[in-house]
Amino acid sequence: MSQKSRNKRIAFVAIIMLLLINYPLLTISAGGIYEGELPHVLLYIMIIWFIVIMLYYILTEWSAKTESKEKS
Amino acid sequence: MNSAVVILCSVLYLLLLFFVAYKAERYLQRGKSIIKNPYVYALSLCVYCTAWTYYGSVGRATTHGIGFLAIYLGPTIAAGLWGILLRKIIRISKIHRINSLADFISTRYGKDFSLAAIVTTLCVIGVIPYISLQLKAISLSFDVLSSGNSGSHNLFFSDTTFYSAVILGVFIILFGTRSVDATEKHEGLVAAIAFESVVKLGAFLIAGIFITYGIFHGLDDIIEKAASQTLLQRSFSMNTTGNYVEWFATIVVSMFAVLLLPRQFQVSVIENIEEDHIKKATWIFPLYMFAINIFVVPIAFAGIILFGTSVDPDTFVLAIPLAHHHTYLGLLVFIGGFSAATSMIIVETIAISTMVSNNIMVPVLLNKALFRKVVYTSLSGTILLIRRMSIILILLMAFLYDIYIAQYFSLVSIGLVSFAAVTQFAPALFIGLYWRGATKNAALIGMSVGFFLWFYTLIIPSMVSAHLLNESIITEGLFGIAWMRPTALFGLTSLDSFTHSVFWSLLFNTMSVVGISLFTNQSSQEIYQAKQFVDVFSTPSSENAVFWRGIAYVGDLFTVLENFIGKDRAKNVLTGYANRYKIPLNSHDKADPRLVQFSEKILAGVIGSASARIIVKSITKEEELSIDEVLEILHESQNILILNKELRKKTIELTKATEELRKVNEQLKNMDTVKDEFLYTVTHELRTPLTSIRSLSEIVHDNPDLDTEQRQEFLSAIVKETERLSHLITQVLTLEKYESGKQTIHYSECDFSAIIRDVIELFHHSFLTKSIEFHVNVPETCLMDGDEVLLRQVIENLVSNAVKFTPAMGTVSITLLREHSVIRCSIADTGKGIPDEVHELIFDKFFQAKNQTVKKPVGTGLGLAICRRIIEMHDGKIWVEKSQSPVNHGAVFSFYLPRYVSHFEKEE
């Protein structure tokens, strides 16, 4: 994978994250939220956050390894 | 805890910081760099997490619930764009020797002094409160830890903030202003910042684990107890659109802030050593943000459960361990917060002091005739002095702000106000990075308008809240005009004050940058710089493009450089450049334009591009280039680039062609060798029977009296040898036909079982003669598409070999398996077998295994080569392996051939 396409993929992941972390809050804020719901939203956001970090890791480190192998 | 102990620990921690920085500098002197490490780079970026994160996040979580996360989610999203955006900014900064955010923006818009000055001023106004916030956090946490017995704050010499500022000032001056070249890396300083990132994360996590699992029984316990707290109702709900809009605005602003805060620009761009370090930072930095936020909500909820409103939420992380008499844990937490504050103060002060000295003080002094004269005397000391004075000035301003103004604002409000301030640089910077048409005037007006609106809509309301201004401006608007109310500009009332300010300031800022750019013209310098920035990855090195015209002397350039960077270094850089481009370097000669450009770039690294421009103008007779000339230069550069690309493409093609030729040549050589070997073997094989024939014929010819019986015997031998000769020639011709592709396959449906049975019948007599036991495991029918004649030849060859090499009383087995789309056949014997190392070679022409019972095996040595060709022509594969039988160690020749599934179905 070239550096350019890797950067594009990571940027795509970032944009998806922006959408995913905003979607539930937008929905909730439009309809109101009952007491006790927010901890679930917090958990949801933390999970999305962690997955995105893992994707960043995979896309940068694994592709970097592939690149160095290709070079060698 | 006794305040003396706290002070002692703080001083010891600062000494440790000095030690880390000192060791890093020493390490560099030995030619090794600590910061040339992607992990150190990533950790240094975590200077983003300040005391505001450490203490303020908990405070914000108690009032805004998960709203505090937006400040860290924004940078996580931004990190995903670093590969595209930050890489470009770093590349530009390295090429142009940019040394600050103001320098970057100013260089993009034609190295304009006014732009650099305005960016610097905005940074000072926007970020001084943020530095002050850190000082405030230090004194606040000190008060909590020492139970408020730190003494009166009315006298500055009894205030801990003052001493913190003094010690930090000494540290910054020692490690941040060692070299006059601002583009040089601050080795010790960056190492210390990375170290502090580890300390603050470690301390916060330990505190979080203790509070969550030591004081409470885990997250569930805290959330369950918190749900019943009326004070946390707001944290548990988000029932208005306003909450969401604020959340979104904070994410957007923090996305910009993570790059545009002076300290972030300093560590991510200026202190970057290798562009590739971005790769690791892309995931380590967000991971750090994630880790430091895991326990924020539990600590916030725990604080409310334990203290209610009696304790400031900003200090919960410290107050909870202290309330449970864990003083040493409290001290650790204090050190963590202290490190968060100090790291921010150090980097931010260096970044701003560089901007202040390079973009305000030096240009102002250079405009004074007196100072212009001293350009010809040593100035590196003066520049360093100015920078050190700037550091003291900034810290003093932050200290005074803390004493006189900060008391009116909370930690959170100050932080967000700074974030919103630096966001005003975003339109000029990012639009300028991707759009060549953005003009200096547009950037200047855009930033000014944005900053004015930021001040009007965010600072004025804060000042009113602090009773520093009359409330009427909020209720009635400026001059009593209702639509000019700072919190409801143009009648927009549905947004909170932060979002309202960000919305209007960014909107007008962006509209100004885009709109004014469309109606204003660029100067020739701007056009050139815009091209250099926007097309940085596709523009040839600016060192080659000549963009300067006038008269300058090498001696003048050398003198000026010498005064700023020292004699030795000036000599080294100029000589190096002159040698690289073969430029004459005689001090009395006129300077090559490229040398003038290069000297300006070196100067820019020291005093910024705007000041460097002023100095170069002052020592040369510069002629202004017209826009047409600039466009011509750019056009030429573009042409050079296209030619270079084509040349590179041709070179790659040529390299590929050479490589292919080399391979073909290698192949030809191999084929030639094979051909020689083949000829040698064939002639050798032909000579043996021919010799026999000749000898026997001579005997018969020379001895007419030979008795009939003997003559008959000799003639039989001659016939036998002639047959052998004929067979050999037939085999050679057959193989040649296969290898040259002349032999075609006549496909037809055939029964492979029948072929095997026919061949067995043919060799029946041979089996009986040698008393060989024969096992056949062949299905009744086995249909396939193939050339029956050729396939029969394969089986004949293999069976013939098996009979030939199996001793008397031995066994030969033939097995045929039929599958859906393939048939597998194997012929095993109980001969001596074939050594592993020749399993591949045995299918080569004239190869015959050496370990057989006879010295020279009977046969031409072409049978197996022909078999392989036939099988391969049928898209199959043949191989040999050792017999798996524990008793017999013969050879097993196996092959498979593809067939249609329809054949299988027909058999069924």
Side-chain angles (χ1 to χ4, degrees):
Chain A
M1 199 196 307
S2 73
Q3 184 175 288
K4 211 172 179 181
S5 60
R6 184 187 60 225
N7 290 340
K8 278 182 188 168
R9 284 178 196 199
I10 297 171
F12 179 72
V13 171
I15 291 162
I16 295 292
M17 181 190 180
L18 182 68
L19 297 174
L20 286 175
I21 58 168
N22 279 290
Y23 176 73
L25 293 178
L26 186 61
T27 319
I28 288 164
S29 66
I33 177 173
Y34 61 87
E35 201 173 291
E37 185 74 7
L38 222 54
H40 297 287
V41 180
L42 173 67
L43 190 66
Y44 165 81
I45 288 171
M46 295 299 265
I47 290 168
I48 295 288
W49 196 353
F50 191 72
I51 291 170
V52 166
I53 293 166
M54 287 298 109
L55 286 174
Y56 282 176
Y57 170 76
I58 291 164
L59 286 169
T60 53
E61 297 294 328
W62 285 14
S63 62
K65 276 178 194 166
T66 319
E67 255 175 46
S68 64
K69 269 183 193 172
E70 279 170 5
K71 275 180 192 171
S72 66
Chain B
M1 183 177 265
N2 191 318
S3 50
V5 177
V6 183
I7 290 170
L8 182 70
C9 288
S10 308
V11 172
L12 284 176
Y13 176 75
L14 283 173
L15 285 175
L16 179 65
L17 219 55
F18 273 70
F19 178 73
V20 171
Y22 173 74
K23 286 301 273 184
E25 300 269 354
R26 286 295 298 260
Y27 210 61
L28 184 68
Q29 283 167 7
R30 293 207 298 266
K32 293 171 185 174
S33 170
I34 286 179
I35 65 170
K36 200 178 178 182
N37 178 319
Y39 293 99
V40 174
Y41 175 71
L43 283 172
S44 70
L45 295 182
C46 301
V47 69
Y48 180 78
C49 296
T50 61
W52 183 36
T53 301
Y54 201 83
Y55 297 116
S57 285
V58 174
R60 192 168 164 81
T62 59
T63 53
H64 288 69
I66 61 169
F68 79 96
L69 276 180
I71 298 155
Y72 309 97
L73 289 169
T76 301
I77 296 165
L81 307 173
W82 282 352
I84 298 167
L85 208 60
L86 185 57
R87 191 177 288 274
K88 190 172 187 179
I89 294 174
I90 289 174
R91 180 71 62 87
I92 292 168
S93 300
K94 283 190 196 304
I95 290 173
H96 295 272
R97 294 178 59 79
I98 283 165
N99 55 37
S100 66
L101 177 66
D103 197 19
F104 188 91
I105 295 175
S106 141
T107 309
R108 160 61 183 85
Y109 293 100
K111 303 181 179 179
D112 186 67
F113 153 68
S114 54
L115 205 55
I118 198 164
V119 173
T120 305
T121 311
L122 301 187
C123 273
V124 172
I125 297 171
V127 178
I128 289 286
Y130 201 5
I131 298 175
S132 148
L133 183 150
Q134 308 304 314
L135 293 171
K136 182 182 174 181
I138 292 174
S139 60
L140 194 71
S141 56
F142 185 86
D143 280 352
V144 173
L145 193 61
S146 58
S147 314
N149 56 1
S150 60
S152 166
H153 286 207
N154 295 329
L155 299 169
F156 76 89
F157 50 82
S158 61
D159 192 341
T160 46
T161 313
F162 174 74
Y163 293 104
S164 306
V166 169
I167 297 174
L168 285 172
V170 173
F171 181 85
I172 298 164
I173 287 170
L174 273 181
F175 292 99
T177 57
R178 293 196 135 185
S179 167
V180 72
D181 189 346
T183 57
E184 269 190 15
K185 312 299 170 204
H186 299 97
E187 189 84 13
L189 206 125
V190 175
I193 299 306
F195 171 74
E196 293 209 282
S197 293
V198 177
V199 171
K200 65 191 173 199
L201 177 65
F204 198 84
L205 286 179
I206 290 169
I209 291 167
F210 170 75
I211 292 166
T212 312
Y213 299 100
I215 297 176
F216 290 86
H217 302 295
L219 285 171
D220 288 345
D221 183 33
I222 291 180
I223 289 173
E224 200 180 308
K225 286 176 180 161
S228 60
Q229 295 284 324
T230 47
L231 276 170
L232 287 172
Q233 289 303 309
R234 188 174 158 76
S235 307
F236 272 96
S237 61
M238 185 183 263
N239 52 7
T240 61
T241 312
N243 283 149
Y244 170 71
V245 176
E246 188 184 358
W247 159 271
F248 185 75
T250 314
I251 286 178
V252 172
V253 166
S254 53
M255 275 175 77
F256 289 128
V258 76
L259 199 61
L260 299 177
L261 280 165
R263 68 174 188 282
Q264 291 304 127
F265 194 87
Q266 179 75 27
V267 288
S268 60
V269 179
I270 311 299
E271 303 293 350
N272 174 276
I273 288 186
E274 279 179 29
E275 272 179 34
D276 264 3
H277 287 177
I278 296 173
K279 278 183 196 167
K280 281 227 168 4
T282 299
W283 64 270
I284 294 177
F285 176 70
L287 189 63
Y288 189 98
M289 301 283 119
F290 180 82
I292 209 163
N293 279 294
I294 288 176
F295 290 106
V296 168
V297 169
I299 293 171
F301 287 0
I304 291 289
I305 295 164
L306 293 171
F307 306 121
T309 52
S310 61
V311 172
D312 181 358
D314 285 342
T315 62
F316 278 171
V317 65
L318 192 57
I320 297 173
L322 291 177
H324 287 79
H325 310 292
H326 287 87
T327 319
Y328 291 107
L329 180 62
L331 187 62
L332 178 72
V333 171
F334 169 77
I335 293 294
F338 189 65
S339 76
T342 52
S343 59
M344 184 275 178
I345 295 171
I346 291 166
V347 185
E348 202 82 88
T349 308
I350 285 176
I352 295 182
S353 69
T354 307
M355 282 198 259
V356 169
S357 69
N358 285 356
N359 304 314
I360 295 181
M361 294 172 104
V362 173
V364 166
L365 290 172
L366 284 173
N367 280 328
K368 303 281 176 201
L370 180 70
F371 195 80
R372 267 208 300 275
K373 283 178 191 166
V374 296
V375 162
Y376 288 97
T377 61
S378 179
L379 275 175
S380 55
T382 315
I383 302 283
L384 281 179
L385 184 69
I386 291 173
R387 220 169 273 167
R388 284 168 186 161
M389 281 170 62
S390 306
I391 288 170
I392 294 167
L393 193 70
I394 289 160
L395 286 174
L396 185 69
M397 282 162 71
F399 176 66
L400 293 175
Y401 185 94
D402 177 48
I403 289 179
Y404 297 110
I405 305 174
Q407 54 185 301
Y408 300 112
F409 304 101
S410 71
L411 288 180
V412 169
S413 60
I414 297 174
L416 279 179
V417 163
S418 289
F419 273 37
V422 295
T423 301
Q424 302 313 319
F425 304 133
L429 194 146
F430 294 118
I431 293 174
L433 211 52
Y434 288 96
W435 183 38
R436 274 192 298 229
T439 66
K440 178 196 83 181
N441 291 332
L444 202 65
I445 295 169
M447 275 194 289
S448 305
V449 168
F451 200 74
F452 169 76
L453 287 171
W454 164 82
F455 191 86
Y456 187 70
T457 54
L458 207 56
I459 302 298
I460 298 277
S462 301
M463 289 168 88
V464 171
S465 310
H467 306 294
L468 297 172
L469 283 175
N470 195 319
E471 205 177 335
S472 65
I473 194 169
I474 298 286
T475 52
E476 293 162 24
L478 190 67
F479 310 122
I481 304 167
W483 58 265
M484 283 184 71
R485 280 175 296 165
T487 51
L489 203 62
F490 303 114
L492 184 65
T493 52
S494 57
L495 301 178
D496 64 284
S497 65
F498 174 72
T499 314
H500 175 264
S501 172
V502 169
F503 174 74
W504 284 124
S505 58
L506 267 187
L507 180 72
F508 276 91
N509 190 339
T510 310
M511 277 169 53
S512 303
V513 173
V514 176
I516 296 170
S517 292
L518 293 172
F519 298 103
T520 50
N521 294 324
Q522 289 172 306
S523 68
S524 53
Q525 182 80 34
E526 274 181 82
I527 292 173
Y528 182 70
Q529 289 301 127
K531 168 80 180 162
Q532 293 279 314
F533 269 54
V534 175
D535 300 329
V536 66
F537 292 114
S538 57
T539 306
S541 168
S542 59
E543 286 185 352
N544 292 318
V546 180
F547 183 71
W548 188 88
R549 194 172 59 196
I551 299 168
Y553 291 92
V554 174
D556 289 341
L557 293 176
F558 182 77
T559 310
V560 169
L561 278 183
E562 183 188 338
N563 292 331
F564 279 96
I565 61 172
K567 192 174 182 179
D568 292 342
R569 205 167 154 226
K571 196 177 173 185
N572 284 344
V573 292
L574 283 182
T575 315
Y577 186 82
N579 289 340
R580 195 158 66 245
Y581 294 102
K582 296 183 173 50
I583 296 170
L585 206 62
N586 193 329
S587 62
H588 300 296
D589 284 349
K590 283 181 185 171
D592 186 286
R594 284 174 294 173
L595 197 69
V596 179
Q597 283 183 181
F598 177 69
S599 305
E600 186 178 328
K601 203 178 279 182
I602 297 294
L603 276 179
V606 180
I607 50 171
S609 57
S611 302
R613 192 85 277 280
I614 295 170
I615 287 182
V616 168
K617 267 186 176 176
S618 72
I619 61 161
T620 59
K621 285 178 187 168
E622 196 172 300
E623 289 174 36
E624 190 74 26
L625 287 171
S626 69
I627 290 176
D628 287 341
E629 284 169 320
V630 172
L631 291 174
E632 182 62 28
I633 293 168
L634 292 176
H635 184 65
E636 275 177 25
S637 303
Q638 199 59 38
N639 282 345
I640 291 170
L641 181 72
I642 292 166
L643 283 173
N644 279 344
K645 266 187 184 170
E646 276 177 14
L647 197 66
R648 209 177 306 137
K649 208 174 155 187
K650 293 278 176 207
T651 313
I652 292 167
E653 278 171 13
L654 201 66
T655 315
K656 272 185 187 168
T658 313
E659 182 61 21
E660 273 170 22
L661 272 174
R662 196 190 59 76
K663 277 182 186 167
V664 170
N665 193 29
E666 197 74 24
Q667 251 175 338
L668 280 172
K669 271 185 188 170
N670 286 342
M671 283 167 73
D672 201 39
T673 315
V674 169
K675 186 200 77 186
D676 287 348
E677 279 175 11
F678 182 70
L679 278 175
Y680 173 79
T681 319
V682 167
T683 46
H684 180 77
E685 293 293 324
L686 288 172
R687 200 174 58 183
T688 315
L690 273 174
T691 311
S692 303
I693 291 167
R694 186 179 171 176
S695 311
L696 292 167
S697 306
E698 277 176 1
I699 294 167
V700 174
H701 180 264
D702 297 343
N703 300 289
D705 302 332
L706 209 65
D707 64 68
T708 317
E709 199 180 327
Q710 215 168 3
R711 179 187 293 267
Q712 197 60 35
E713 195 183 321
F714 286 164
L715 286 173
S716 296
I718 290 170
V719 170
K720 210 173 170 184
E721 287 300 313
T722 316
E723 277 173 359
R724 192 179 150 200
L725 205 58
S726 169
H727 181 62
L728 178 65
I729 291 167
T730 310
Q731 292 273 56
V732 169
L733 289 174
T734 310
L735 188 64
E736 195 276 331
K737 255 167 73 180
Y738 289 138
E739 293 200 332
S740 64
K742 285 175 195 161
Q743 175 70 48
T744 50
I745 298 180
H746 303 287
Y747 281 102
S748 63
E749 190 179 88
C750 55
D751 183 356
F752 206 77
S753 297
I755 294 172
I756 292 174
R757 276 195 291 271
D758 284 353
V759 174
I760 292 167
E761 195 59 41
L762 202 69
F763 284 88
H764 188 69
H765 182 69
S766 307
F767 294 136
L768 289 176
T769 312
K770 283 186 81 174
S771 305
I772 292 172
E773 200 180 325
F774 199 72
H775 297 297
V776 182
N777 183 14
V778 174
E780 198 177 328
T781 53
C782 179
L783 300 175
M784 67 167 291
D785 264 6
D787 192 319
E788 195 171 335
V789 178
L790 299 182
L791 292 173
R792 184 186 296 274
Q793 199 180 339
V794 171
I795 300 294
E796 275 178 19
N797 264 324
L798 295 177
V799 173
S800 160
N801 282 347
V803 172
K804 208 185 294 172
F805 296 109
T806 303
M809 311 299 286
T811 309
V812 171
S813 315
I814 295 190
T815 310
L816 178 66
L817 297 171
R818 49 181 200 184
E819 292 170 19
H820 279 82
S821 56
V822 74
I823 63 166
R824 297 177 190 279
C825 181
S826 60
I827 294 148
D829 61 48
T830 53
K832 285 204 165 181
I834 300 162
D836 290 348
E837 62 270 20
V838 295
H839 279 183
E840 277 299 315
L841 303 172
I842 200 156
F843 293 100
D844 287 351
K845 285 172 281 191
F846 295 112
F847 182 89
Q848 285 164 319
K850 294 168 186 171
N851 62 340
Q852 301 301 328
T853 47
V854 285
K855 278 183 186 171
K856 172 82 177 125
V858 185
T860 59
L862 293 170
L864 286 176
I866 291 170
C867 286
R868 182 163 70 175
R869 285 300 304 163
I870 294 172
I871 296 289
E872 282 175 356
M873 282 161 73
H874 281 83
D875 297 325
K877 191 187 172 187
I878 185 167
W879 68 95
V880 65
E881 56 199 351
K882 266 187 187 168
S883 170
Q884 299 298 316
S885 164
V887 186
N888 304 313
H889 303 289
V892 182
F893 282 87
S894 308
F895 62 86
Y896 71 80
L897 291 164
R899 67 167 182 166
Y900 295 117
V901 178
S902 57
H903 289 132
F904 178 80
E905 286 162 357
K906 209 184 276 184
E907 287 161 3
E908 290 293 303

